[in-house]
Amino acid sequence: MDTDPTPGDAAAAPSIFARIVCGVDGTDESREAVAQVARLAPATARVVLCSVWNTGASVAVGWSPPLARTASFPRDELKAAVDASRPLLPQSLVVETTIVEGPPGPMMLTEIGRQQATLVAVGSHDHRRLSGILLGSVATQLLHDAPCSVLMARAPQDEPFPRTVVVAVDGSTESGRAIRVATDVAHGAGAELEAVVATGGQGGVALTAVRSLLEAVGGPEIPLREDPQPPVEALTRLQPDLLVIGSRGLQGLRSLGSVSERVAHEARCSVLVVR
């Protein structure tokens, strides 16, 4: 059973990039997700390129969310799109490809469970958050229900990805996990790393606790910027290549107020939600 890490044992937590399921639908957005996985995954990672052949009624009424676009063309074309994503990943990685049939969201969640994934990556098609909740967009469903970390990929401002990484911190155990992941990503990519704390939220933030956690988990060299805005406003106006944020794992109606879920939808950069 997983237990919440403390600052002292956060470094011992297993890599969230160990087993990755990456959604592929033949779009530029999904290719960007695969390309970012290629940059983030260590040589020991296992990657499953998964596409969903959806023939459900959602497409018949004009809804075309991520991973549901494939109902309108033959399965062999879908397989070709999956196969075309394979060269984006290093040959050294263990890579599998799979096509499953059914409703996109539930089938992706089933595949995540079957693969015991530590991360699921999808491209952002920039559906508005409310539309995602009402129509069942795959990205929204994964952010709500996936038992693992979620990468919502958007095209970076510059290559190679990522050159800049920002981690959201608030002194919580969840932000401690995010600090560890962001530190590992930045060191591995040679990227600039900055921590941001939003001080305008309800209840305030204990800055002493934030600084202590940041130094204990990430090291004293990581700069900390204070933003007086509430968390969602502070984080969504940032434009790093990658924003890393911890998740408290809220599900159902409680997740409608989740900062990490709102930031993932509204940010203008790739967002890695760490669970």
Side-chain angles (χ1 to χ4, degrees), residues 100-125:
V100 294
E101 182 176 351
M107 294 310 299
M108 283 295 293
L109 289 170
T110 297
E111 191 65 19
I112 289 167
R114 190 174 75 85
Q115 301 292 344
Q116 296 184 314
T118 54
L119 174 71
V120 58
V122 291
S124 171
H125 293 240

Side-chain angles (χ1 to χ4, degrees), residues 61-119:
V61 298
W63 171 48
S64 181
L67 308 179
R69 297 166 55 95
T70 56
S72 61
F73 58 85
R75 187 186 179 101
D76 58 347
E77 292 187 27
L78 176 57
K79 183 179 185 303
V82 175
D83 291 343
S85 297
R86 175 60 181 90
L88 297 174
L89 297 166
Q91 291 294 324
S92 58
L93 291 180
V94 175
V95 179
E96 296 180 17
T97 62
T98 184
I99 299 174
V100 294
E101 182 176 351
M107 294 310 299
M108 283 295 293
L109 289 170
T110 297
E111 191 65 19
I112 289 167
R114 190 174 75 85
Q115 301 292 344
Q116 296 184 314
T118 54
L119 174 71

Side-chain angles (χ1 to χ4, degrees), residues 233-248:
E233 288 80 355
L235 297 174
T236 54
R237 70 181 185 179
L238 300 172
Q239 295 190 62
D241 290 331
L242 180 65
L243 175 61
V244 183
I245 184 170
S247 170
R248 286 175 169 81

Side-chain angles (χ1 to χ4, degrees), residues 29-241:
E29 290 85 355
S30 74
R31 283 189 287 272
E32 182 62 39
V34 177
Q36 292 188 15
V37 165
R39 289 284 298 168
L40 298 175
T44 55
R46 180 171 169 270
V47 179
V48 177
L49 300 177
C50 177
S51 194
V52 181
W53 191 34
N54 180 36
T55 56
S58 58
V59 174
V61 298
W63 171 48
S64 181
L67 308 179
R69 297 166 55 95
T70 56
S72 61
F73 58 85
R75 187 186 179 101
D76 58 347
E77 292 187 27
L78 176 57
K79 183 179 185 303
V82 175
D83 291 343
S85 297
R86 175 60 181 90
L88 297 174
L89 297 166
Q91 291 294 324
S92 58
L93 291 180
V94 175
V95 179
E96 296 180 17
T97 62
T98 184
I99 299 174
V100 294
E101 182 176 351
M107 294 310 299
M108 283 295 293
L109 289 170
T110 297
E111 191 65 19
I112 289 167
R114 190 174 75 85
Q115 301 292 344
Q116 296 184 314
T118 54
L119 174 71
V120 58
V122 291
S124 171
H125 293 240
D126 287 329
H127 292 283
R128 295 186 61 85
R129 178 172 175 266
L130 181 60
S131 297
I133 293 170
L134 295 177
L135 296 176
S137 128
V138 170
T140 298
Q141 189 164 3
L142 294 177
L143 287 165
H144 283 182
D145 299 329
C148 60
S149 298
V150 179
L151 172 66
M152 188 177 290
R154 295 179 175 91
Q157 299 182 63
D158 203 358
E159 296 288 352
F161 171 90
R163 291 192 173 187
T164 54
V165 178
V166 168
V167 57
V169 294
D170 63 5
S172 66
T173 298
E174 291 80 11
S175 73
R177 293 193 190 99
I179 292 167
R180 169 53 57 200
V181 171
T183 302
D184 290 345
V185 167
H187 286 174
E192 296 181 7
L193 175 62
E194 180 184 36
V196 171
V197 55
T199 59
Q202 294 182 352
V205 175
L207 291 176
T208 300
V210 169
R211 293 189 184 98
S212 296
L213 181 65
L214 182 62
E215 183 169 345
V217 179
E221 71 279 2
I222 301 176
L224 175 64
R225 176 154 55 93
E226 300 174 26
D227 192 309
Q229 296 293 318
V232 173
E233 288 80 355
L235 297 174
T236 54
R237 70 181 185 179
L238 300 172
Q239 295 190 62
D241 290 331

